Amino acid sequence: MLAMDFCGLHFNTPQVLLSGCVGFGEEYTRVKGFSNTDVGAVCLKGTTLAERLGNEPHRLAETPMGLLNAIGLQNPGSARVVAEYLPKLDFSETRFIANLSGSTVEEYAEVTRIFDDSPIDAMEINISCPNVKEGGVAFGNDPDMSARVVEACRTQTRKPLIAKLSPNQTDIANNARRCIEAGSDALAVINTVMGMAIDPEQRQPVIGNNQAGLSGPAIKPIALLKVHQVYQVAGPLNIPIIGQGGVTRPEDALEFIIAGASAVGVGTALFYDPLVCSRINSVMVDYLKRHNMTHVNELVGSLQLHEPATSVCAN
Amino acid sequence: MNEHSRHAAAHPATRDTIFPEQAPILLHEAFAGDQHIIRLQAPEIAAHAQPGSFVHMQVHPTLLMRRPMSIMRANPKAGWIEILYKAHGEGTRLLSERRIDELVDLIGPIGTPFKLDGYRRRPLLIGGGVGMPPMIFLAEHIRRQATDNQPLVILGSEVPFPFKARPSQILVPGLPAEVIAGMPLLEDWHIPSRLCSQQDFPGCHQGFVTDLARLWLDSMEPRQHGEVEVFACGPTPMLKAVAQLTAEYDLPCQVSLEEHMACAVGGCAGCNVRVETETGPAMKRICVDGPVFDARQVFPQAG
Ligand SMILES: Cc1cc2nc3c(=O)[nH]c(=O)nc-3n(C[C@H](O)[C@H](O)[C@H](O)COP(=O)(O)O)c2cc1C
Ligand code: FES
């Protein structure tokens, strides 16, 4: 009922653990009862060509129903990830997806080449990281640059490529179209929303990097709309979407699938409940049975919009 | 594209070492200065906790993030743990309103604890404010080992201590006679303790924990410094001062650190601090690489 094909990869379930929330794939297995087999895939932490130490503390701040983070892409560099981290992963449990980052188009291509020559199952192109000075969201908010990055990665691999789109741009559907034309096999929608927290006593930002990316339930309505918008472009082309942003309760996962996501990402919710994925699976199965469906695919994009209103004002 | 074997790697030893538990509140006591001690029934955590370990707690269902809390005591036989916290933010304030028998969702024990194989025979434990709990845990551990070691615990607080201080019956050579207030629990374990504060609390040293530690060190024969080892937890300025002192006297020193945390299992890299390693600077995760680090790695400028 939940097992599925995603770009030719076998996913145990439609859930994906999100980049930056689960280290390099093994960290959450510390928790008794947690299992990577509950999810279809695990996205590893954003990886650049050379090692990055990341930002100074504080890197985290809690906000109402949200979490601000500015880690600054701390990672040991792609060569070490391939040599030291991938051999520790149990590929019989789930699919593992690398998350690629860079400050130049050439760096993205080089990181892709390094992961192509590794057992990794697929690669997610992070053109939407808000927490680094160069590349990241600066590329992701410019459709031309997004397309150039995807094209450059495409020349280096035949493994599935997933462009991860930023919500911090005006026309996400157009950007999605450009990424698909440039060779992206799937899309991840959305990365974090840029934000800030201020300590009024110190008159300083709480986060060492000053600005940060917001995740968690606070961004879910934004994410749902973006998935719906991207699905209008990607659905007809059979390009699957990993919907994400604030999934916390099992119902949230269903909402993303109805909006058009083939798979659903879980990140920040793990911090509250490390065992949330097995709960989401069982509620999904119940839901499908209740609605006389035999497979989760039947639910994808099944949203029934209201008739268009005569008013053009959203208020 | 090369063919790569998708092997089933041997699972790392860290698997299944952190236990989720729904822990009933057994005791919940309030002290002056918004301090609280909570006792929770959490048998797996109690059985596996070591000095320096912490739990990651859902303080209240309305808050998205858990809170890391040091374990102050663990009773593996009775299956409970005790935590001391100060209600200074929204989360800890909501926690302070929770009642006996309510369930608290915990994961733990977490963290690389204090390294205690072959520690020196005069352990000096320094705890400041909400940094006291790991020192109490460590003291209880040292007592259980029943060796001929001679520990000393120095505690500092700017709000009234979360216990009723009483004059210590255990003489500590080298300390001023009027500095006599100690912690009853430690007294019961026959471990000498002394208290410090900038406030004028009776029987306490009026000044810094490091001042009292220095008096103690200076009262010894210099060769005895080779028997001293320091363990500390508290606010950063205090830890810096402790690192400075131990560098000056060339004493080994382990410190336990705190930072905002999201996952507390090593997944998000949100809790990292800069440390100096043999291969240069690194950003280490306080939750799983720490919370205990060598003081010289965290404060390389000290001394
Ligand atoms: C602590 C943290 C670190 C993150 N690091 C990355 C990263 O390295 N690369 C990336 O593409 N997204 C990163 N993200 C974004 C998540 O993968 C995800 O897209 C976003 O958090 C929205 O989902 P959520 O609300 O379920 O967390 C990070 C998010 C968090 C909270
Ligand atoms: S809190 Fe997530 S790595 Fe430490």
Side-chain angles (χ1 to χ4, degrees), chain A residues 282-301:
Chain A
S282 52
V283 172
M284 264 197 226
V285 169
D286 284 351
Y287 177 92
L288 295 176
K289 284 187 186 149
R290 236 173 352 100
H291 290 263
N292 296 315
M293 293 185 190
T294 53
H295 196 272
V296 64
N297 284 347
E298 296 167 45
L299 195 61
V300 177

Side-chain angles (χ1 to χ4, degrees), chain A residues 20 23 26-30 32 53 56 58-60 62 65 74 87 90 93 117-119 121 272, chain B residues 2 4 6 11 15-18 58 62 64-67 259-260 265 267-269 272 274 283 285:
Chain A
E26 266 296 331
E27 302 302 348
Y28 262 93
T29 67
R30 293 172 200 268
K32 197 165 184 215
L53 290 184
E56 292 299 318
H58 300 305
R59 291 176 169 191
L60 301 168
E62 185 179 9
M65 281 298 124
Q74 176 172 357
D90 185 346
E93 292 185 330
D117 188 15
S118 87
D121 290 298
Y272 185 74
Chain B
N2 292 358
H4 291 273
R6 283 179 175 68
H11 293 157
R15 276 208 177 192
D16 298 339
T17 52
I18 298 176
Q58 276 182 8
T62 58
L64 191 63
M65 289 294 120
R66 290 171 181 255
R67 301 290 187 271
E259 181 48 71
H260 298 179
V265 302
C268 73
N272 294 37
R274 184 175 287 272
M283 295 296 280
R285 298 165 298 185

Side-chain angles (χ1 to χ4, degrees), chain A residues 33-99:
Chain A
F34 172 93
S35 172
N36 277 336
T37 60
D38 284 334
V39 297
V42 175
C43 298
L44 309 184
K45 175 66 187 170
T47 304
T48 47
L49 189 57
E51 178 179 19
R52 284 178 60 97
L53 290 184
N55 296 330
E56 292 299 318
H58 300 305
R59 291 176 169 191
L60 301 168
E62 185 179 9
T63 61
M65 281 298 124
L67 172 69
L68 279 172
N69 90 81
I71 310 300
L73 288 178
Q74 176 172 357
N75 77 91
S78 44
R80 271 183 61 202
V81 170
V82 170
E84 295 169 28
Y85 291 80
L86 298 192
K88 292 185 190 141
L89 298 177
D90 185 346
F91 282 84
S92 73
E93 292 185 330
T94 192
R95 305 279 70 81
F96 290 101
I97 300 175
N99 181 274

Side-chain angles (χ1 to χ4, degrees), chain A residues 20-21 28 60 271, chain B residues 54 56 259-272 285-288:
Chain A
C21 301
Y28 262 93
L60 301 168
F271 305 155
Chain B
F54 67 96
H56 206 30
E259 181 48 71
H260 298 179
M261 290 189 189
C263 71
V265 302
C268 73
C271 61
N272 294 37
R285 298 165 298 185
I286 290 185
C287 61
V288 292

Side-chain angles (χ1 to χ4, degrees), chain B residues 204-241:
Chain B
C204 298
H205 170 72
Q206 195 170 6
F208 294 118
V209 286
T210 39
D211 300 339
L212 203 60
R214 185 183 290 278
L215 285 176
W216 182 66
L217 288 167
D218 286 343
S219 73
M220 290 177 193
E221 300 277 328
R223 60 172 175 79
Q224 287 178 307
H225 292 157
E227 298 174 348
V228 178
E229 175 160 1
V230 178
F231 303 88
C233 185
T236 307
M238 183 202 101
L239 292 181
K240 246 184 211 162

Side-chain angles (χ1 to χ4, degrees), chain A:
Chain A
M1 232 175 193
L2 298 182
M4 59 182 272
D5 175 275
F6 189 92
C7 298
L9 302 173
H10 172 81
F11 276 18
N12 301 327
T13 78
Q15 291 188 71
V16 173
L17 299 184
L18 294 178
S19 178
C21 301
V22 291
F24 285 96
E26 266 296 331
E27 302 302 348
Y28 262 93
T29 67
R30 293 172 200 268
V31 180
K32 197 165 184 215
F34 172 93
S35 172
N36 277 336
T37 60
D38 284 334
V39 297
V42 175
C43 298
L44 309 184
K45 175 66 187 170
T47 304
T48 47
L49 189 57
E51 178 179 19
R52 284 178 60 97
L53 290 184
N55 296 330
E56 292 299 318
H58 300 305
R59 291 176 169 191
L60 301 168
E62 185 179 9
T63 61
M65 281 298 124
L67 172 69
L68 279 172
N69 90 81
I71 310 300
L73 288 178
Q74 176 172 357
N75 77 91
S78 44
R80 271 183 61 202
V81 170
V82 170
E84 295 169 28
Y85 291 80
L86 298 192
K88 292 185 190 141
L89 298 177
D90 185 346
F91 282 84
S92 73
E93 292 185 330
T94 192
R95 305 279 70 81
F96 290 101
I97 300 175
N99 181 274
L100 322 176
S101 223
S103 39
T104 62
V105 175
E106 294 71 32
E107 184 179 351
Y108 276 99
E110 184 62 9
V111 176
T112 309
R113 190 186 63 73
I114 290 168
F115 276 109
D116 182 63
D117 188 15
S118 87
I120 206 81
D121 290 298
M123 290 171 234
E124 182 172 64
I125 311 171
N126 178 7
I127 40 173
S128 41
C129 179
N131 299 326
V132 288
K133 286 202 188 66
E134 295 151 340
V137 79
F139 287 174
N141 287 347
D142 175 347
D144 289 336
M145 282 306 295
S146 302
R148 276 185 56 199
V149 172
V150 174
E151 259 165 28
C153 298
R154 186 75 281 171
T155 62
Q156 302 297 322
T157 189
R158 288 158 68 187
K159 295 187 183 193
L161 283 177
I162 307 157
K164 184 163 180 177
L165 305 183
S166 161
N168 307 298
Q169 57 180 325
T170 17
D171 190 352
I172 196 170
N174 178 47
N175 196 319
R177 186 192 324 266
R178 296 292 304 276
C179 288
I180 295 169
E181 286 165 5
S184 194
D185 302 295
L187 299 167
V189 183
I190 57 175
N191 207 320
T192 52
V193 178
M194 285 159 84
M196 182 183 258
I198 292 175
D199 178 340
E201 292 303 320
Q202 309 288 334
R203 289 189 229 158
Q204 276 191 320
V206 177
I207 299 275
N209 185 52
N210 298 322
Q211 66 176 46
L214 184 64
S215 64
I219 69 167
K220 194 190 83 172
I222 301 172
L224 275 177
L225 179 61
K226 302 285 179 193
V227 168
H228 170 66
Q229 291 169 340
V230 170
Y231 183 66
Q232 307 312 307
V233 172
L237 301 171
N238 280 320
I239 297 290
I241 297 169
I242 306 176
Q244 60 197 273
V247 172
T248 307
R249 307 162 309 148
E251 294 73 18
D252 300 333
L254 294 168
E255 291 168 26
F256 273 92
I257 295 173
I258 294 167
S262 299
V264 178
V266 179
T268 302
L270 286 169
F271 305 155
Y272 185 74
D273 180 5
L275 308 182
V276 69
C277 292
S278 70
R279 233 159 28 84
I280 292 180
N281 284 337
S282 52
V283 172
M284 264 197 226
V285 169
D286 284 351
Y287 177 92
L288 295 176
K289 284 187 186 149
R290 236 173 352 100
H291 290 263
N292 296 315
M293 293 185 190
T294 53
H295 196 272
V296 64
N297 284 347
E298 296 167 45
L299 195 61
V300 177
S302 60
L303 182 68
Q304 294 162 32
L305 293 176
H306 299 295
E307 289 301 312
T310 42
S311 159
V312 289
C313 177
N315 299 328

